[in-house]
């Protein structure tokens, strides 16, 4: 075992170690006292085997010809110890000769870890200062022991014990062995808040990233204690209160206490909320040339008397700044200034608009991209050499490069160029693997049990091109897809790609036939700005309908067989949502259409428009988990020419579009008649639907990722679109149709979403309120799946 201490404690008891107190007693061989006026004739170094004598003398303060000065000798001694090269140093006078006797520290032969399981050996070696074939130092070993403990603490193992052992070898060499007892993970047993009056402990637990230990978090590390994450949580709390009007919010203390058994932590956040402010007067002051303050008022997104929201204020300032920069004022800057009035509990807000320093980009350097080509990164930057440079551009450049998904880290820094108005921008990246192999599973009420597998390379040969293959197998569906996508086609702001695919659906749950298709798509899209984008696609698809029963409707029997669809499609999308998966605020509007008839045997024009608006209810509920969502959609199909009118191209309503109704269960369907006793859904020409939904947190379950919602859906589908109509009782064959009405169907229900470690589980229970007698309903609906 190695005993740790400073260099002064490592000397053996029988050595003549010189200290400040001993220097006056430095004696020569005859016992005479040292005199400051006696000179050092020579210095003799003994005991050094690896280190050259000249090197030893270079470390010393005294030189031959210097007097035997106590202070200089003491400094020489300490300097030699400070090199870390020597285990023991002795200074002794022999007449007018100064003898330096040394014992060199050994050389590290190898470093061994025992008991390391949670951390890889290569990760442990990265944190060590000590390396093989370097000089051994007890102090360095002690420091490395602490570094290893810190590495385990970052992994939530604060009860780890590290014991260094030194194995002596021949030729003054040693092996360093770190014996590690990792111990159990140190979890967070309890998180407490002191000073919270406006928000409950449950609400604040949902704000921070650290979580209390629970059985269902075995796939998560959020319940492991991490000091850096706790500091981040304090910042999350500050931002949360600032977003909800608590301008004077202050964190007083953040403390993590280790339990006596060293197996868990108790975390306490102590803070002062202060009073809650509303916005008072909102004004603009502008010193920009030809930009009066009055002309900027249209860019104010806030309104008086709303609760103060620090993030919304900064977002408004950023939006205003970007608008000015894109309209001929590249150096415009907008700074929000607030003035509190505690008596009235209001905050007056002033947007100060001015011109910032003029700086231009002289050079852009990209480092760290060993696979990804420079041009892939440069085309994502919002600037080039010679352009103006602002902090806003710097922020968006970092976000844009990170959005590529090719890099673990992205850092952007700037330095002064060849002149005061020139800037050199350095962008450093750390690449990560971009190949993916995925397998997954789940269940859906649409297609039953699902299994899928896929392989994809998102950065093919460093070009930024994405290519992959995926396959899906379920009880009622088979699908395969081979795709390639270039996110910057021809080096421009365009996304282009192509797909080869095969799909076969067994609609045995609500249809009595098999639909199959294979084909190719060519697609292209581009963004006009941050919110507005457009996409185009051309599809050539061979389709077939088979598996029909003899008693199927005549409308389906006449369409059994193959058809060819040649279709051109386009979609405009304006999207301001803060998240496309779980939006909390913002809206989107989408308008698209399909034109079929450029070859093939289908002739139709189909248009569809969709819109949604999401309203945060933060001001009413003091929580970011309440959202009111409105959705609406409308679509129509118009036939032209003499093409086929295939029911596969019709609109169908139900399922996720109209909860409470089976997929395709609302709308036109055939009525069984003699010879054709089967009832079939045939879809419709005109469709509309919408929903109103309130999303809310569920007490005690929000921390588990469970959120509830109540909703009401409405919609209808009408317009018979078939090859030939046989609805006249005198016709042969006779095929009457029911459900062809625009009278709205309405349903209401409740549900929840669970963001589980295994995937997203979506469960809805809905009951129709208004329906047609022939409609097919569905009380319970859920979907679940995850790639792994």
């Amino acid at each position: 075992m190695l005993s740790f201490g400073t260099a002064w404690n490592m000397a053996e008891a029988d050595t003549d170690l010189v200290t400040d107190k001993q220097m006056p007693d430095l004696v020569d061989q005859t016992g005479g006292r040292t005199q400051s006026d006696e000179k050092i004739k020579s210095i003799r170094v003994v005991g050094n085997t690896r280190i050259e004598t000249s090197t030893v003398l270079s470390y010393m303060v005294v030189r031959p010809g210097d007097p035997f000065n106590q202070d200089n000798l003491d400094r020489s001694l300490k300097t030699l110890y400070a090199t870390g090269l020597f285990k023991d140093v002795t200074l002794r006078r022999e007449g007018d000769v100064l003898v330096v006797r040394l014992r060199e520290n050994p050389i590290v032969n190898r470093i061994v870890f025992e008991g390391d399981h949670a951390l890889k050996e290569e990760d442990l070696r990265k944190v060590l200062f000590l390396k093989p074939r370097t000089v051994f130092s007890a102090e360095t070993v002690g420091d490395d022991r602490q570094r290893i403990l810190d590495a385990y603490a970052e992994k939530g193992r604060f009860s780890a014990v590290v014991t260094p052992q030194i194995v002596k070898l021949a030729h003054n060499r040693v092996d360093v062995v770190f014996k590690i007892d990792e111990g159990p993970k140190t979890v967070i047993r309890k998180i407490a808040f002191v000073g919270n009056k406006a928000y409950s402990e449950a609400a604040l637990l949902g704000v921070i990233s650290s979580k209390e230990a629970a059985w269902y978090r075995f796939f998560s590390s959020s319940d492991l204690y991490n000091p850096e994450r706790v500091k981040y949580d304090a910042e999350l709390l500050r931002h949360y209160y600032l977003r909800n009007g608590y301008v004077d919010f202050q964190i007083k203390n953040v403390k993590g206490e280790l339990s006596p058994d060293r197996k868990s932590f108790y975390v306490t956040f102590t803070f002062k909320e202060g009073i809650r402010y509303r916005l008072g007067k909102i004004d603009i002051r502008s010193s920009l040339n030809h930009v009066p303050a009055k002309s900027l008022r249209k860019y104010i997104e806030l309104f008086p008397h709303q609760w103060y929201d620090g993030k919304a204020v900064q977002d408004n300032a950023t939006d205003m700044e970007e608008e000015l920069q894109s309209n001929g004022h590249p150096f415009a800057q907008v700074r929000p200034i607030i003035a509190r009035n505690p008596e009235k509990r209001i905050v007056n807000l002033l947007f100060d608009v001015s011109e910032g320093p003029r700086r231009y980009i002289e050079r852009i350097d990209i480092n760290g991209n060993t696979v990804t080509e420079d041009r892939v990164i440069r085309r994502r930057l919002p600037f080039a050499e010679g352009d103006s440079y602002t902090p806003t551009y710097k922020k968006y450049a970092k976000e844009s490069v990170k959005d590529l998904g090719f890099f673990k880290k992205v850092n952007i820094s700037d330095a002064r160029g060849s002149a005061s108005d020139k800037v050199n921008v350095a962008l450093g990246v750390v690449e990560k693997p971009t190949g993916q192999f995925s397998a997954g599973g789940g269940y859906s009420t649409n297609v039953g049990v699902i299994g899928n597998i896929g392989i994809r390379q998102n950065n093919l040969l460093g070009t930024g091109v994405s290519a992959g293959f995926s396959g899906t197998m379920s009880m009622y569906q088979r699908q395969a897809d081979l795709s390639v996508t270039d996110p910057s086609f021809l080096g421009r702001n365009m996304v282009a790609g192509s797909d080869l695919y095969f799909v076969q659906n067994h609609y045995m749950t609500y249809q009595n036939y098999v639909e199959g298709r294979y084909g190719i798509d060519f697609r292209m899209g581009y963004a006009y700005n941050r919110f507005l984008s457009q996409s185009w696609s051309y599809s050539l698809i061979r389709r077939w309908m088979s598996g029909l029963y003899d008693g199927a409707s005549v409308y389906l029997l006449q369409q059994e067989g193959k058809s060819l669809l040649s279709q051109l499609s386009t979609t405009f999308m304006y999207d301001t949502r803060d998240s496309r998966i779980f939006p909390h605020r913002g809206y989107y509007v989408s308008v698209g259409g399909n034109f079929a008839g450029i070859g093939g045997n289908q002739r139709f024009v189909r248009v569809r428009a969709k819109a949604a608006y999401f309203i945060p209810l933060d001001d009413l509920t003091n929580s970011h988990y309440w959202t009111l969502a409105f959705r609406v959609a409308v679509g129509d199909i118009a036939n032209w020419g003499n093409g086929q009118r295939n029911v596969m191209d019709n609109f169908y309503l139900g399922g996720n579009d109209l909860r409470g109704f089976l997929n395709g269960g609302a709308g036109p369907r055939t009525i069984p008649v003699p010879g054709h006793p089967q009832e079939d859904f045939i879809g419709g020409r005109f469709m509309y639907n919408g929903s109103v939904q309130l999303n809310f947190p569920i007490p005690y379950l929000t921390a588990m990722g469970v959120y509830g919602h109540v909703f009401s859906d409405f919609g209808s589908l009408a317009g018979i679109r078939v090859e030939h109509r046989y609805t006249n009782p005198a016709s042969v064959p006779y095929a009457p149709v029911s459900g062809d009405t625009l009278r709205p169907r309405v349903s209401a229900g409740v549900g929840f979403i669970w963001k589980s470690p295994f995937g997203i589980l979506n469960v809805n229970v809905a009951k129709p309120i208004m329906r047609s007698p022939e409609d097919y309903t569905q009380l319970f609906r859920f979907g679940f799946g995850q790639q792994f």
Side-chain angles (χ1 to χ4, degrees):
M1 298 290 291
L2 180 66
S3 175
F4 294 99
T6 65
W8 301 100
N9 296 325
M10 294 178 59
E12 296 181 354
D14 59 348
T15 59
D16 294 321
L17 179 63
V18 180
T19 66
D20 290 337
K21 293 182 179 180
Q22 291 173 318
M23 276 304 299
D25 299 323
L26 185 67
V27 296
D28 60 20
Q29 287 182 323
T30 62
R33 290 287 184 185
T34 300
Q35 302 296 325
S36 61
D37 56 349
E38 297 183 24
K39 305 294 184 181
I40 300 173
K41 183 177 181 180
S42 63
I43 301 175
R44 180 157 50 92
V45 179
V46 296
N48 54 319
T49 58
R50 297 189 316 272
I51 304 168
E52 297 290 337
T53 298
S54 59
T55 303
V56 175
L57 294 176
S58 69
Y59 291 134
M60 299 182 63
V61 177
V62 296
R63 298 286 186 271
D66 291 346
F68 284 95
N69 181 274
Q70 299 175 17
D71 182 60
N72 288 340
L73 290 171
D74 185 38
R75 289 168 58 198
S76 296
L77 181 72
K78 292 180 179 179
T79 302
L80 288 172
Y81 267 118
T83 64
L85 300 173
F86 308 108
K87 181 179 180 182
D88 184 27
V89 180
T90 302
L91 301 183
R92 179 180 291 276
R93 177 183 177 186
E94 296 181 357
D96 53 3
V97 177
L98 179 63
V99 179
V100 181
R101 190 174 300 276
L102 305 172
R103 289 181 60 192
E104 294 176 338
N105 273 327
I107 293 294
V108 177
N109 179 55
R110 60 177 183 150
I111 301 173
V112 180
F113 301 95
E114 295 181 0
D116 54 309
H117 305 292
L119 287 175
K120 296 180 180 179
E121 186 171 311
E122 54 265 31
D123 294 330
L124 291 173
R125 291 188 183 277
K126 290 178 182 178
V127 304
L128 297 185
F129 184 79
L130 199 67
K131 307 293 181 185
R133 294 180 297 279
T134 60
V135 177
F136 170 83
S137 168
E139 287 185 348
T140 304
V141 172
D143 293 341
D144 283 346
R145 170 183 174 272
Q146 187 58 50
R147 292 186 183 98
I148 295 173
L149 289 173
D150 292 342
Y152 274 100
E154 290 179 3
K155 294 294 183 179
R157 295 180 183 268
F158 285 82
S159 59
V161 177
V162 178
T163 306
Q165 293 184 344
I166 311 304
V167 180
K168 293 184 178 181
L169 305 174
H171 308 296
N172 200 24
R173 295 175 302 128
V174 295
D175 284 345
V176 180
V177 180
F178 290 100
K179 289 194 171 184
I180 302 172
D181 179 6
E182 295 180 328
K185 292 183 178 180
T186 312
V187 299
I188 300 176
R189 184 61 54 197
K190 177 65 178 176
I191 300 176
F193 302 93
V194 178
N196 56 309
K197 299 176 182 177
Y199 301 103
S200 66
E201 189 168 281
L204 296 180
L205 283 172
V207 173
I208 62 177
S209 60
S210 297
K211 305 298 179 184
E212 295 177 352
W215 65 269
Y216 51 82
R217 291 203 172 95
F218 49 85
F219 278 125
S220 172
S221 61
S222 60
D223 59 349
L224 301 181
Y225 180 77
N226 186 321
E228 294 303 317
R229 182 163 54 202
V230 171
K231 291 180 182 177
Y232 173 67
D233 289 336
E235 192 65 17
L236 288 178
L237 285 172
R238 190 181 72 84
H239 281 286
Y240 178 75
Y241 272 92
L242 192 59
R243 288 185 64 181
N244 287 280
Y246 293 89
V247 181
D248 300 324
F249 177 82
Q250 291 180 345
I251 292 284
K252 296 294 185 180
N253 188 30
V254 180
K255 183 167 59 175
E257 295 179 294
L258 186 62
S259 64
D261 60 3
R262 302 183 65 84
K263 293 182 179 180
S264 60
F265 266 88
Y266 295 85
V267 179
T268 304
F269 296 92
T270 303
F271 49 80
K272 181 180 178 182
E273 291 179 332
I275 61 176
R276 194 179 188 192
Y277 290 86
R278 292 184 181 272
L279 274 177
K281 183 180 178 182
I282 303 175
D283 207 349
I284 298 177
R285 180 175 63 199
S286 174
S287 59
L288 278 179
N289 292 330
H290 311 297
V291 182
K294 184 179 179 180
S295 66
L296 299 175
R297 296 202 65 87
K298 61 184 177 181
Y299 299 123
I300 296 179
E301 303 163 0
L302 307 169
F303 53 89
H305 308 301
Q306 76 174 82
W307 291 115
Y308 178 84
D309 184 339
K311 183 178 184 299
V313 169
Q314 187 58 53
D315 289 346
N316 196 167
T318 301
D319 292 343
M320 193 182 300
E321 189 173 276
E322 291 175 357
E323 191 69 31
L324 289 167
Q325 290 173 357
S326 62
N327 285 281
H329 302 278
F331 303 103
Q333 61 181 19
V334 179
R335 187 166 59 97
I337 302 173
I338 64 171
R340 301 176 180 84
N341 188 331
E343 290 76 17
K344 296 183 178 180
R345 298 195 172 195
I346 61 172
V347 170
N348 293 322
L349 174 62
L350 172 68
F351 290 106
D352 184 30
V353 182
S354 61
E355 184 170 283
R358 292 175 173 265
R359 298 195 299 171
Y360 300 91
I361 299 173
E362 183 175 24
R363 191 177 71 247
I364 300 174
D365 298 320
I366 301 175
N367 304 300
N369 53 318
T370 57
V371 175
T372 308
E373 297 178 3
D374 270 17
R375 64 182 180 88
V376 175
I377 300 174
R378 286 180 179 272
R379 70 194 184 197
R380 297 288 295 188
L381 300 177
F383 47 70
E385 281 90 348
D387 288 353
S388 58
Y389 182 69
T390 67
T392 302
Y393 289 170
K394 179 178 178 180
K395 181 185 72 172
Y396 282 115
K398 182 175 181 178
E399 292 177 355
S400 181
V401 174
K402 286 181 68 176
D403 287 344
L404 283 171
F406 304 160
F407 309 109
K408 293 180 184 176
K409 296 180 181 178
V410 178
N411 294 309
I412 296 182
S413 59
D414 54 71
R416 187 180 185 275
S418 59
S420 59
D421 63 342
K422 298 290 176 34
V423 176
N424 293 328
V425 178
L427 190 149
V429 298
V430 178
E431 292 184 313
K432 66 180 182 181
T434 54
Q436 297 177 348
F437 174 79
S438 61
Y443 184 86
S444 169
T445 45
N446 282 347
V447 296
V449 178
I450 306 169
N452 59 63
I453 190 171
I455 184 170
R456 175 167 293 278
Q457 174 54 255
N458 294 315
N459 188 17
L460 189 64
L461 301 177
T463 62
V465 173
S466 174
F469 169 81
S470 64
T472 300
M473 179 77 72
S474 70
M475 296 171 64
Y476 307 116
Q477 184 183 77
R478 294 179 179 86
Q479 180 174 337
D481 180 84
L482 179 65
S483 66
V484 60
T485 302
D486 186 350
S488 185
F489 185 59
L490 300 178
R492 300 179 179 274
N493 179 30
M494 292 191 297
V495 178
S498 181
D499 299 274
L500 285 169
Y501 54 87
F502 166 83
V503 179
Q504 183 170 298
N505 292 313
H506 295 258
Y507 290 123
M508 299 308 174
T509 53
Y510 62 95
Q511 292 285 57
N512 295 306
Y513 61 84
V514 176
E515 175 205 335
R517 61 184 182 271
Y518 61 84
I520 185 170
D521 286 347
F522 299 97
R523 46 192 164 75
M524 181 180 67
Y526 42 87
Y528 294 100
N529 52 44
R530 288 175 56 197
F531 306 117
L532 180 62
S533 62
Q534 184 181 8
S535 63
W536 290 87
S537 68
Y538 171 74
S539 305
L540 185 63
I541 308 170
R542 171 66 72 182
R543 309 180 301 177
W544 65 90
M545 182 186 294
S546 62
L548 292 168
Y549 297 113
D550 293 337
S553 165
V554 65
Y555 297 120
L556 299 185
L557 289 173
Q558 289 183 347
Q559 295 188 0
E560 187 172 19
K562 296 182 179 180
S563 63
L564 181 65
L565 173 65
S566 177
Q567 175 178 276
L568 181 66
S569 306
T570 186
T571 300
F572 284 91
M573 182 80 164
Y574 191 85
D575 191 351
T576 67
R577 289 174 294 176
D578 55 355
S579 169
R580 296 200 173 190
I581 301 176
F582 298 106
H584 181 60
R585 67 176 70 235
Y587 65 91
Y588 74 85
V589 177
S590 172
V591 179
N594 314 110
F595 178 82
I598 309 175
N601 46 27
Q602 307 294 314
R603 301 286 188 274
F604 64 83
V605 176
R606 177 170 50 204
V607 294
R608 186 167 187 181
K610 297 188 296 182
Y613 190 68
F614 302 89
I615 303 175
L617 302 181
D618 304 5
D619 293 342
L620 297 176
T621 63
N622 293 333
S623 170
H624 288 289
Y625 296 112
W626 291 78
T627 307
L628 186 60
F630 298 90
R631 294 181 176 89
V632 65
V634 61
D636 192 19
I637 300 177
N639 303 305
W640 69 278
N642 297 316
Q644 297 180 2
R645 301 179 181 182
N646 201 312
V647 296
M648 289 189 290
D649 299 317
N650 291 347
F651 290 112
Y652 289 85
L653 186 62
N656 290 330
D657 293 329
L658 188 62
R659 288 164 288 190
F661 293 81
L662 188 69
N663 265 34
R669 69 191 60 79
T670 61
I671 298 175
V673 295
H676 300 281
Q678 184 172 294
E679 185 178 17
D680 293 312
F681 301 154
I682 58 174
R685 181 185 61 80
F686 179 79
M687 180 271 298
Y688 70 89
N689 70 291
S691 71
V692 179
Q693 179 168 307
L694 176 65
N695 302 323
F696 57 87
I698 300 178
Y700 306 107
L701 295 180
T702 301
M704 298 171 55
V706 181
Y707 306 88
H709 52 260
V710 295
F711 58 86
S712 178
D713 293 351
F714 65 91
S716 191
L717 178 66
I720 301 174
R721 181 180 177 274
V722 293
E723 195 71 31
H724 301 285
R725 297 185 63 167
Y726 302 100
T727 55
N728 188 333
S731 64
V732 179
Y734 173 52
V737 175
S738 66
D740 182 21
T741 175
L742 286 177
R743 189 169 67 88
R745 280 85 161 174
V746 181
S747 66
V750 298
F752 68 87
I753 292 177
W754 180 26
K755 302 176 188 177
S756 77
F758 313 101
I760 296 177
L761 174 65
N762 194 342
V763 178
N764 289 298
V765 178
K767 181 74 174 176
I769 299 174
M770 296 176 60
R771 52 167 291 201
S772 293
E774 302 86 359
D775 289 341
Y776 281 67
T777 63
Q778 184 182 51
L779 177 65
F780 180 75
R781 182 177 183 84
F782 77 96
F784 172 75
Q786 171 68 49
Q787 288 190 333
F788 54 86

